[in-house]
Amino acid sequence: MRPGRWFVVAFALVLGACSSSSTPNSASVPTTTAPPTTAAPPVVSCGEAVASYAPTGGLPSPGAMPTGSFMGQIQARGRLIAGVSADTLLFGYRNPLTGNLEGFDIDLVHQVSQAIFGDPNRVEYKVVTYAQRIPALLDGSVDIVADVMTVNCTRWQQIAFSSQYFQAGQKVLVRRDSAATRIEDLDGTRMCAATGSTNIDNLKNYPKITAVPVNDISDCMVLFQQGTVDSVTGDDTVLQGFVVQDPYTKIIGPPITSEPYGLGIARTHPEFVQFVNSVLQRMRLDGTWKQMYARWLQPTGPVPEPPAAVYGRNP
Amino acid sequence: MVAGWFEGTPGSLRFRGAISVFMCIIFGVAAFSGALALDRSVNGQRNDAAQLVRVESIRTNLVKADANATNAFLVGGLEPADARAGYTSGISAAARALAESAGANGGDAPVLRRVNEVVTTYTGLIESARANNRQGFPVGAAYLRQASKVMQEQALPALDSLVTGARNRVDAASRSLALPIVVIVTLLALGTLLIVQVWIFRRTHRVFNVALVVATALVLILGATAIGGMSWSQSAGKKVRQGAFARTVALATARSDGFDAKSAEALTLVNRGSGQAYDQRFVSVASAAGRALDAGVAPVAPDPAATDARIAFVQYLTDHAEVRKLDNGGEWEKAVAVATGRGAANQSFGRFERASGRAIVHQASHVSDDLDSARRPLVPLAWLALLAGLAAAAAASRGLNQRLREYR
C-alpha cells in the first residue's frame, strides 16, 4: 500500500466537505461600503429620515406567519438570522462569564423571535462589523441587523429601517484627567473611530483632528488604553459601555450629532419592516421598552419615554 | 652555483626529484585539509539542522500558546485549567528555545532578540485580555484579537526567515568542493610520480626504483582510501538530508501549521458568523499541514509516531468538518462544544499534537546520530593521508638521491 495516497484522498474529501458548506460572501464585503472620499458625506434628502413604513393590521399569532411573507420564510427555516455586535457593552456583547450574547439590541432580537415563533431563542447570531452591516442585509446572509445602527437618508437608499427605537448622540471619550470639555478642544490630536460608522463620516467636519480608523470600535479601546490614540469617538451609548470597563475615562461635550437607532432590514421585505414596527409599537405601549432601558442603561433618574414611532414612508 | 644546480642530467634529475617531493607533500596537505573541511561541513549541517529544529519549536510553541489562549476564550466563563496550562507551557517552552537558539547560533541572535520582544508584547496583550475577561469586560476580546495579530504579523514571519536561512545553509554545505579537490590533487601527484619513473627508466634503463614505487603506492592507497571515505561520508550526509532531515522539517512544518489551523478554527467560532476569513485560513494551513505530513512519513518502515500523527490529523479534519457543519447550520453552541474541552475535534487534535511531537523528537535524533556517524572516519583519514604524503615525499627524495649518487 502507498501510505501517501489515501491521505491525500481523505484530506481532499474532508476539505471539500467543509469548504463547500461555508458561506461564500466574505472577501469583497468591505469594499462595497467604502465611505465616500469627499470632504463631507453627501447629503441625500428622503424626507424625515426616521419615518418608516406604517404597520397594516395587527400582528399575526406566533407560529402562524402568513405564507408567502418573509416572516413565513423565516418560520419555515426555523430560526431568525440576526446581524449583531459582540463587543458593544450594554447593547450587543458577548458576556465573557457565560459566553452568551447580551444587551439592549439582543433583547430586541429576542422580541422579534418571540413574535415569529413564540420562542425568544430561535435565533442564529452573526457577528458583524459596522462596515459589514449593510452588505450582510443586501446579500441576504442576515434577516435583520440590530447593532446600534443610525437611521439616515444615505442608508435608506440601500436598505430599510424599522421605526426609531433609541435616541443616541455622537460624543468623545477622553482620559479622566483631560482638560478638554468639547470636541473642538481636541484639535491636533489623534481620535479613533470605527470604519463604516456615521461617527467617522462626521469627523470629516473636524479637519484638524487626525482620524484613526479601525474595524471594530472595541479596537479603539485597546489603542486608547495603550496610549496610541488620545480619544475615541462613538455614540454615547457605546462610549458609556467603555466607561463601565475603564474607570480612568470620561465622556465629554454636548452631542456632535443626533443618532436615531433603527433595526436594519432589506428593502425587498417591506412586510417584515411593518411586522417589526408592530412589535416595537407593542413594546412601547406595554412597558417592555422601559424595562429593557432600565435593565441595560441603568439610569440614575427616571426612565425616559421611548422615541415615538414616525410613519409615512411608502415601500 | 645555484644557477648550475639544475644543469645537465644530474640537474634534470634534481629538478624532477624536487617536483616529486613537492607533489607528495601537496597530496598529504590537500587530503588532510580536504577531509577536515568536509568534517567541518558535516558538523555544520548537524548544527544547522539542530538550529532549524529549535527555531521550528519556538514557532510551534508560540502558535500552540495562541491556539490555547483563543480556545480558552471561546469556552466563556472561567478559562479551563488545561487550556491555561497549554498556554503557559507553550510560552515557557518558546522562551527556553529562544534562549538556546540565540546561544547556539550568533548569526540568528539579532532576529531572535526581536522575536523575544514581540513575545513580551504578546504576553502583555494576552494578560490584558484575561484581566478584562475576568471582570466580564468584552474589550478583552479586542485585546485577544490584537495579540493574535502581533504574533501572526511580527513573530512568525521573523522565525520563518530563520528556518529558511538554516535550510539554505544545509543545502549549501552539500555543495562542498573538498572531495573534487582531493581527487584532482591525488591524480596529479600519481601522474607526476609515474612520469618521473618513466623518465628515469629511459635514462638509466633500470626498471624499478623501490623507493619511488613505495612513494607511488602510498599515494595511491591512501589517496583511494581518503577519496572513498570522503565520498561515503558525503553520500551518508546526503541520505540524511533527503531522509531523516527532510522528514524532521516536514513534521515540524505540519505541527506548526496544525496549531495554526486549530487557532483559525477557534477564531472562526469567536467571530461567530463573520469568521469566513479565518475559515479560509484554516483551509490553506490545514492543506499545507496535510502535504507536510505526507512528506514527514517515511515510505519504507515509517516511524509509528509519524503514522499516528497522520491518522490523528485526518480524524481531526473529519471532526473539524462537523464543527463547520454545526456552525453553518446555526448550531453555534454545539459547534463550540465539539471544538473545545472533551469535544471530538479537540480530542483528535490533542492526539495529533502528542504524536507529531514524539515523531519530531525521533527524526531529529536520527539526524544527529546519522550525521555523527557520517563524520566519524574523516579525522583519522585526514591524519593518515598527511602522514602518507610526508612518508611518500621522504621515499621519493630517497629514491632520487640513489640515482644522483651514480653521477658523482
Side-chain angles (χ1 to χ4, degrees):
Chain A
M1 178 171 105
R2 296 275 305 279
R5 286 283 172 78
W6 61 265
F7 180 83
V8 171
V9 171
F11 188 74
L13 283 176
V14 170
L15 274 190
C18 61
S19 58
S20 65
S21 56
S22 61
T23 43
N25 66 341
S26 59
S28 62
V29 163
T31 53
T32 55
T33 57
T37 47
T38 46
V43 178
V44 179
S45 174
C46 65
E48 194 171 359
V50 293
S52 182
Y53 312 140
T56 52
L59 276 171
S61 318
M65 295 299 115
T67 44
S69 70
F70 189 55
M71 296 79 82
Q73 286 177 37
I74 295 171
Q75 188 188 318
R77 184 203 293 141
R79 61 186 194 276
L80 172 69
I81 304 179
V84 297
S85 165
D87 53 11
T88 309
L89 192 65
L90 311 181
F91 274 77
Y93 76 102
R94 189 171 169 279
N95 184 337
L97 303 180
T98 60
N100 294 328
L101 288 162
E102 293 178 1
F104 193 100
D105 281 333
I106 304 296
D107 278 357
L108 285 175
V109 174
H110 285 310
Q111 290 286 331
V112 176
S113 168
Q114 172 74 35
I116 297 174
F117 299 102
D119 175 351
N121 292 315
R122 300 281 281 270
V123 183
E124 175 187 345
Y125 295 103
K126 286 198 191 274
V127 174
V128 290
T129 65
Y130 287 163
Q132 288 168 337
R133 293 178 297 195
I134 291 178
L137 285 170
L138 293 179
D139 70 14
S141 56
V142 301
D143 302 329
I144 189 168
V145 165
D147 183 8
V148 293
M149 194 167 190
T150 302
V151 181
N152 64 32
C153 286
T154 314
R155 288 175 174 167
W156 264 109
Q157 290 189 308
Q158 291 182 285
I159 59 165
F161 286 99
S162 72
S163 62
Q164 182 186 353
Y165 69 84
F166 204 91
Q167 178 59 47
Q170 181 175 350
K171 290 189 179 175
V172 180
L173 179 92
V174 293
R175 287 168 57 106
R176 196 180 180 82
D177 56 7
S178 168
T181 54
R182 24 189 247 130
I183 189 168
E184 287 81 0
D185 297 340
L186 294 166
D187 281 355
T189 65
R190 295 163 61 81
M191 188 179 286
C192 186
T195 313
S197 65
T198 49
N199 310 134
I200 201 161
D201 290 339
N202 295 336
L203 266 194
K204 290 176 183 138
N205 299 324
Y206 301 88
K208 288 184 184 156
I209 295 174
T210 310
V212 178
V214 296
N215 279 332
D216 283 289
I217 192 156
S218 58
D219 294 337
C220 279
M221 195 59 187
V222 173
L223 296 184
F224 179 77
Q225 290 184 339
Q226 291 174 335
T228 311
V229 298
D230 304 297
S231 60
V232 178
T233 187
D235 293 352
D236 49 3
T237 46
V238 177
L239 297 182
Q240 192 55 46
F242 287 160
V243 173
V244 172
Q245 298 179 64
D246 184 350
Y248 296 98
T249 58
K250 65 179 179 188
I251 298 171
I252 56 164
I256 309 169
T257 56
S258 160
E259 308 282 340
Y261 291 164
L263 298 167
I265 293 168
R267 287 186 71 164
T268 43
H269 307 307
E271 76 279 18
F272 188 42
V273 178
Q274 292 168 323
F275 176 84
V276 170
N277 281 344
S278 299
V279 175
L280 289 174
Q281 190 57 27
R282 190 172 67 187
M283 292 169 60
R284 289 186 188 97
L285 298 178
D286 69 6
T288 311
W289 189 94
K290 283 195 167 184
Q291 281 168 19
M292 276 166 53
Y293 191 99
R295 176 175 177 204
W296 294 112
L297 281 299
Q298 299 184 351
T300 42
V303 174
E305 289 300 314
V310 179
Y311 302 121
R313 193 179 301 274
N314 292 317
Chain B
M1 181 65 202
V2 176
W5 191 258
F6 290 127
E7 279 171 13
T9 306
S12 302
L13 202 54
R14 275 195 199 96
F15 175 69
R16 283 164 177 79
I19 296 277
S20 306
V21 169
F22 177 72
M23 283 312 294
C24 288
I25 292 174
I26 289 291
F27 160 75
V29 171
F32 175 73
S33 48
L36 287 189
L38 189 61
D39 180 63
R40 271 196 308 276
S41 153
V42 175
N43 191 37
Q45 289 179 48
R46 184 185 183 282
N47 292 341
D48 282 328
Q51 177 75 349
L52 191 144
V53 170
R54 275 189 294 266
V55 173
E56 279 283 14
S57 93
I58 302 173
R59 194 186 195 286
T60 307
N61 277 300
L62 288 180
V63 180
K64 171 185 168 184
D66 197 40
N68 274 290
T70 319
N71 232 12
F73 177 83
L74 187 55
V75 182
L78 201 55
E79 62 188 337
D82 58 340
R84 179 66 189 170
Y87 168 80
T88 313
S89 79
I91 289 292
S92 31
R96 242 187 342 266
L98 266 169
E100 283 168 13
S101 317
N105 186 322
D108 286 352
V111 177
L112 292 169
R113 265 200 298 279
R114 171 80 193 117
V115 172
N116 201 21
E117 285 165 23
V118 177
V119 171
T120 309
T121 310
Y122 171 81
T123 51
L125 288 167
I126 290 287
E127 289 314 314
S128 295
R130 290 184 70 219
N132 278 293
N133 209 34
R134 283 235 158 189
Q135 295 170 83
F137 295 158
V139 73
Y143 273 100
L144 182 78
R145 254 194 325 260
Q146 173 130 358
S148 248
K149 197 172 151 196
V150 163
M151 171 83 78
Q152 293 285 339
E153 291 179 2
Q154 295 178 29
L156 301 188
L159 291 172
D160 289 343
S161 74
L162 293 186
V163 169
T164 312
R167 282 180 88 156
N168 289 344
R169 284 199 301 275
V170 170
D171 288 345
S174 69
R175 292 189 292 271
S176 162
L177 287 176
L179 182 57
I181 289 175
V182 171
V183 170
I184 291 170
V185 171
T186 306
L187 290 177
L188 283 177
L190 281 174
T192 308
L193 287 169
L194 286 174
I195 289 168
V196 168
Q197 283 173 84
V198 169
W199 184 84
I200 290 174
F201 168 70
R202 286 202 181 131
R203 287 298 161 102
T204 63
H205 302 284
R206 301 209 185 172
V207 180
F208 289 116
N209 177 315
V210 176
L212 276 176
V213 170
V214 167
T216 312
L218 278 173
V219 172
L220 180 67
I221 294 169
L222 263 298
T225 313
I227 290 167
M230 284 172 76
S231 27
W232 176 81
S233 176
Q234 240 180 4
S235 76
K238 187 176 172 191
K239 220 171 102 190
V240 175
R241 272 196 307 283
Q242 293 174 346
F245 176 69
R247 285 195 289 278
T248 309
V249 173
L251 288 168
T253 310
R255 191 169 149 85
S256 185
D257 285 340
F259 277 113
D260 210 350
K262 185 73 179 123
S263 173
E265 173 186 271
L267 284 169
T268 312
L269 290 168
V270 167
N271 287 279
R272 208 164 170 162
S274 53
Q276 288 91 349
Y278 295 110
D279 195 28
Q280 283 160 11
R281 190 172 109 204
F282 178 92
V283 173
S284 93
V285 292
S287 318
R291 282 193 300 277
L293 272 175
D294 270 347
V297 180
V300 179
D303 180 21
T307 313
D308 284 353
R310 189 164 63 172
I311 293 170
F313 195 70
V314 172
Q315 181 57 46
Y316 166 66
L317 289 174
T318 315
D319 297 336
H320 170 82
E322 178 66 14
V323 171
R324 294 313 314 146
K325 196 176 137 205
L326 287 169
D327 187 27
N328 289 327
E331 304 199 75
W332 187 80
E333 283 83 3
K334 284 186 188 161
V336 169
V338 174
T340 56
R342 305 213 60 80
N346 212 32
Q347 295 293 312
S348 53
F349 187 81
R351 280 197 298 281
F352 163 72
E353 176 188 344
R354 288 186 295 275
S356 60
R358 278 201 311 277
I360 290 171
V361 171
H362 293 173
Q363 294 298 327
S365 74
H366 279 309
V367 171
S368 13
D369 291 354
D370 292 358
L371 285 178
D372 275 345
S373 63
R375 277 177 69 191
R376 206 158 293 139
L378 292 175
V379 174
L381 269 182
W383 286 104
L384 273 178
L386 180 65
L387 289 176
L390 294 178
S397 156
R398 188 185 152 87
L400 284 153
N401 272 331
Q402 280 173 357
R403 290 289 87 83
L404 262 181
R405 273 199 294 273
E406 292 165 3
Y407 287 93
R408 290 200 180 122

